[in-house]
Every structure is written in C-alpha cells, then in structure tokens.
Amino acid sequence: MKPYLAALLVLPLAACSWGIKLDSAGKAIRVAWNDDVSACRELGKVTVSVLDSVGPLDRRNTKVNDELEVMARNEAASMNADTIKPLSEPRNGEQQWGAYACGANARAAAPTPSQRAGEGVETFPIR
C-alpha cells in the first residue's frame, strides 16, 4: 500500500511541466544571457510565470528557470523577435524578459539617426 501512496504523491510533481514545450518558432529565438543588445531594436517586454511550488513543496530552481526561458522564447516568437534577454531574476516563479530584433531585419526596420532627426542631421555625444 505504501508504494502506491508514494507514487500518487510523486505523480502530480511530474505533471507540472508536461504542457510547457518549446515550439518550432521558439527554437529560432536566441537567448542573450550576457550579450549586449544595444544595437538591436527593442520590440517589447515579455513577462512569464510558472508554478514554483506545488502545495508545500518547492520545485527545483533549475526546472523553473528552464520553463520560464521556454515560455519567453515561445512568446517572443509571436512578437517577431529573434533574441530575448532576461531583465530580472526569477522571483516566485515569474520573470521579465526583453524581446529584440537583432538580425538583418532589425537593421532594415530600425530608423537610422538621420531618419529619426528628419533633417538628415546626426548627433553625437560630446566627451
């Protein structure tokens, strides 16, 4: 009887990540953990959340972090982003990510400084 009880307790924990899978569009999204994204065009922010505990039991941080990344990549793909970068540390199963276009599409779609100025004038910071 005890082995069945143990199996019943473990089964709900294993079921927590069954629905969180990296879809085909999310596979194309790059994660810029420490990379500079200043040359990229920011498309917006993505906030994702998963269960970080099941009842009184805390889930492993590694598993929670992996699921947050997968969800952020999937969501960023729907925004036509090609790169994401974490904007905060995971907290209580929630994390905010920045979505960016860093590839060839970013340069074509992002206005140059002269286009933003409207007069063909570029400005540069003074040292």
Side-chain angles (χ1 to χ4, degrees), residues 111-127:
T112 64
S114 61
Q115 290 171 329
R116 283 192 298 259
E119 295 291 319
V121 177
E122 292 187 42
T123 59
F124 299 94
I126 298 174
R127 292 185 187 203

Side-chain angles (χ1 to χ4, degrees), residues 68-79:
L68 290 169
E69 179 189 331
V70 166
M71 291 180 70
R73 289 173 69 182
N74 289 342
E75 186 64 28
S78 69
M79 299 171 65

Side-chain angles (χ1 to χ4, degrees), residues 42-117:
E42 183 178 348
L43 300 176
K45 293 180 174 69
V46 175
T47 302
V48 292
S49 61
V50 297
L51 290 175
D52 66 335
S53 63
V54 178
L57 303 174
D58 288 334
R59 296 181 63 216
R60 289 181 308 165
N61 286 339
T62 306
K63 187 68 174 166
V64 170
N65 293 346
D66 287 348
E67 290 176 0
L68 290 169
E69 179 189 331
V70 166
M71 291 180 70
R73 289 173 69 182
N74 289 342
E75 186 64 28
S78 69
M79 299 171 65
N80 295 322
D82 60 13
T83 304
I84 60 172
K85 183 173 184 167
L87 300 177
S88 65
E89 293 294 320
R91 183 171 183 183
N92 298 326
E94 185 174 292
Q95 187 174 20
Q96 193 171 53
W97 298 75
Y100 304 91
C102 297
N105 293 338
R107 289 179 187 22
T112 64
S114 61
Q115 290 171 329
R116 283 192 298 259

